Amino acid sequence: MSQFSSTSYPLSFPVGVAVDPATGAVYVSDDLNNRVQKFSSTGTYWAQFGSAGSGSGQLAGPWGLAVDPSSGDLYVVDGSNNRVEKFGNP
């Protein structure tokens, strides 16, 4: 298994992980940075999304993650906002 690389985007307290079964994409919740990072199945950094706040698409303490295998949508447990935030096939 390869080492996941995020040298340009360091993780701060990564606490959750989910894998998209259709694409192999790996999502990591980055709690203290209030974002989710997306990697390829081999560990290549692809993207990040979310920002600090309580509005749509914003996160405050993201923890758990789940991928809907039929749609590819990502669900993020947004702990400090007391909600689950949906990101449509990120």
Side-chain angles (χ1 to χ4, degrees):
M1 183 172 171
S2 73
Q3 182 73 11
F4 280 73
S5 172
S6 61
T7 54
S8 297
Y9 305 92
L11 296 164
S12 183
F13 201 64
V15 292
V17 64
V19 177
D20 183 333
T23 65
V26 177
Y27 298 95
V28 179
S29 58
D30 190 3
D31 181 54
L32 296 180
N33 286 319
N34 300 302
R35 65 183 176 195
V36 174
Q37 292 199 48
K38 182 178 181 179
F39 299 89
S40 72
S41 62
T42 60
T44 301
Y45 169 82
W46 278 352
Q48 67 179 0
F49 50 94
S51 61
S54 60
S56 180
Q58 295 182 319
L59 302 166
W63 277 66
L65 303 170
V67 177
D68 180 338
S70 62
S71 67
D73 293 341
L74 179 72
Y75 294 87
V76 180
V77 175
D78 189 11
S80 294
N81 284 323
N82 299 308
R83 65 182 181 185
V84 174
E85 185 76 0
K86 177 183 173 184
F87 291 89
N89 199 355

